Amino acid sequence: MSDSPFKSKGGLGRLFNALRYSGQGLAAALRHEAAFRQELALAVVLTPLAFWLGQTPAEILIAYFAAQGAEDQLQDLCDYIRSRYPHLPIVLDAKRGDVGSTAEQYAREAFERYRADAVTVSPYMGFDSVEPYLEHKDKGVIVLCRTSNPGGSDLQFMEMADGTPLYLHVASLVAEKWNTNGQCALVVGATFPDEIGRVRARIGDMPLLVPGIGAQGGDVVATVAAGMD
């Protein structure tokens, strides 16, 4: 049997040809195979995720998937986390805020389609915008309170009739009236440790989701000290 004309006689030449043919095959798969592109996209997300996941909740920002039309990939990611890291709660960072049947559909999206364990919501349309999420009794509802962005002060520091800042009014409202099933938490940014302390004093041992460590400038030590109940 004659040797293949594509097989190099030399060791290094043969290795070079193998690498070249493999590269050409990968390039062709990327161009022509949609399934391969999807698998590659998932690998890009899941490989670093596998090294990062530990004991903390997996917080997923839905906007980055929705903007790319990648809701199916988000669903795959949630399925992957549940199957490989079943002890980790999945927090869908959506910051939804709407009323009526629209809020009901957003709740179904979070808890039925993606099967998230918790979702972030905005309270600024009132209780009826949050109630559809609370009807899922075994799920967490994380309400925006004092957010980590500078512009949050535009509204959250506005005073109620009794002089209470709006963010503290939200904290009290959630703790005293909305959290009847013990499923609520609040978002309070690490960039405002003083406010974390004030919120903690209002809500007791209710959980806090605290963004803002790192690039936004939040301090870990100050945050932990302020957030201890």
Side-chain angles (χ1 to χ4, degrees), residues 108-195:
R108 289 189 59 198
E109 174 194 42
F111 297 140
E112 296 179 17
R113 178 178 184 181
Y114 299 122
R115 293 191 289 160
D117 298 291
V119 65
T120 57
V121 300
S122 172
Y124 294 107
M125 292 182 72
F127 178 70
D128 54 346
S129 70
V130 177
E131 186 177 18
Y133 302 90
L134 297 174
E135 290 175 354
H136 296 260
K137 304 296 186 183
D138 60 337
K139 300 295 186 178
V141 181
I142 306 175
V143 182
L144 300 181
C145 178
R146 180 65 174 114
T147 56
S148 58
N149 61 307
S153 300
D154 295 345
L155 294 178
Q156 294 158 17
F157 265 0
M158 295 181 69
E159 293 186 353
M160 307 297 292
D162 63 357
T164 302
L166 180 57
Y167 78 91
L168 282 182
H169 176 71
V170 169
S172 297
L173 195 63
V174 175
E176 297 169 9
K177 295 185 177 181
W178 296 2
N179 194 32
T180 56
N181 195 48
Q183 67 194 102
C184 290
L186 293 175
V187 175
V188 185
T191 45
F192 302 106
D194 290 342
E195 283 88 329

Side-chain angles (χ1 to χ4, degrees), residues 49-58 85 87-89:
L49 184 67
F51 289 96
W52 174 80
L53 285 173
Q55 299 299 319
T56 58
Y85 304 92
H87 59 289
L88 294 181

Side-chain angles (χ1 to χ4, degrees), residues 193 213 218-227:
I213 298 292
D219 180 80
V220 173
V221 175
T223 297
V224 172

Side-chain angles (χ1 to χ4, degrees), residues 45 60-71 73-75 77:
V45 173
I60 302 173
L61 286 86
I62 189 173
Y64 288 94
F65 291 85
Q68 303 299 323
E71 288 88 347
Q73 285 73 24
L74 173 56
Q75 191 168 340
L77 176 58

